[in-house]
Amino acid sequence: ELSCRPLIEDGVHIGSVNLFTDITERKAREDELVQQATTDPLTGLANRRRFMLEAEHELARVQRYNHGESTLLMIDLDHFKDINDNYGHSAGDAVLLHLADLLRHNLRALDLAGRYGGEEFVILLPSTSADEGWRLAERLRLALAHSPTDFEGRAITVTMSIGLTT
């Protein structure tokens, strides 16, 4: 950060005093606060607030330019309560983390995955048709069904239901 003050002597500007301040730590704290305000603490995905804001921006973009379409997927893990009841909440957390990793590895850089709440996730697919969205949804569904979560040496198989809209 730079602060400048004029040096005036007898009403004449004779120079300036410049003060440089290192704001590295302050910027790091600000970045951390933004991260905490926009990210789900367990999965590292966008939280509901950030997701809804980005979805509103994408809707405005699609409406303004009136071309192409974007797709929204809503994911719900099937029988998630049973996982928490049978294996404990740590196992449920492991399943949520497993799904978050699966989403990160199957989405494009411009897509946005978020945790909507509990075991509900949402995915925003800009410039994506319904057919492309359905293909991705099916690929994600099969990937999760065929890759159990490893939790303390146990394989926990999970399925999900996916809704789609453009």
Side-chain angles (χ1 to χ4, degrees), residues 86-111:
N86 294 328
Y87 300 101
H89 289 277
S90 294
D93 288 350
V95 168
L96 297 175
L97 286 167
H98 179 67
L99 175 58
D101 286 341
L102 186 139
L103 296 178
R104 273 191 279 277
H105 288 93
N106 283 279
L107 298 178
R108 305 168 299 183
L110 70 117
D111 299 333

Side-chain angles (χ1 to χ4, degrees), residues 16-35:
S16 60
V17 175
N18 300 312
L19 176 64
F20 294 91
T21 306
D22 183 357
I23 60 170
T24 305
E25 287 182 30
R26 186 178 87 200
K27 289 309 246 176
R29 283 194 308 272
E30 288 172 3
D31 290 346
E32 184 179 339
L33 289 172
V34 168
Q35 179 76 9

Side-chain angles (χ1 to χ4, degrees), residues 23-138:
I23 60 170
T24 305
E25 287 182 30
R26 186 178 87 200
K27 289 309 246 176
R29 283 194 308 272
E30 288 172 3
D31 290 346
E32 184 179 339
L33 289 172
V34 168
Q35 179 76 9
Q36 290 174 1
T38 60
T39 304
D40 175 64
L42 176 65
T43 63
L45 299 176
N47 63 14
R48 181 194 306 221
R49 179 186 336 193
R50 176 173 166 219
F51 186 87
M52 295 305 291
L53 182 63
E54 296 291 337
E56 287 173 13
H57 290 160
E58 180 60 14
L59 180 60
R61 185 193 68 80
V62 168
Q63 289 173 339
R64 178 175 181 182
Y65 296 109
N66 200 24
H67 63 81
E69 58 187 336
S70 292
T71 298
L72 178 76
L73 302 180
M74 182 83 173
I75 296 172
D76 187 67
L77 291 174
D78 300 328
H79 312 292
F80 186 72
K81 184 181 180 320
D82 293 342
I83 294 167
N84 284 333
D85 290 348
N86 294 328
Y87 300 101
H89 289 277
S90 294
D93 288 350
V95 168
L96 297 175
L97 286 167
H98 179 67
L99 175 58
D101 286 341
L102 186 139
L103 296 178
R104 273 191 279 277
H105 288 93
N106 283 279
L107 298 178
R108 305 168 299 183
L110 70 117
D111 299 333
L112 179 65
R115 184 171 177 202
Y116 199 71
E119 75 281 2
E120 296 174 331
F121 292 78
V122 284
I123 303 171
L124 181 62
L125 304 168
S127 303
T128 303
S129 69
D131 286 343
E132 292 167 320
W134 279 119
R135 284 193 293 276
L136 173 64
E138 183 62 9

Side-chain angles (χ1 to χ4, degrees), residues 133-152:
W134 279 119
R135 284 193 293 276
L136 173 64
E138 183 62 9
R139 190 168 71 239
L140 292 172
R141 188 189 67 76
L142 290 171
L144 184 64
H146 293 105
S147 66
T149 301
D150 178 23
F151 179 72
E152 297 179 349

Side-chain angles (χ1 to χ4, degrees), residues 2-15:
L2 170 65
S3 297
C4 299
R5 299 285 185 255
L7 251 172
I8 299 174
E9 195 172 286
D10 295 327
V12 177
H13 182 267
I14 61 169

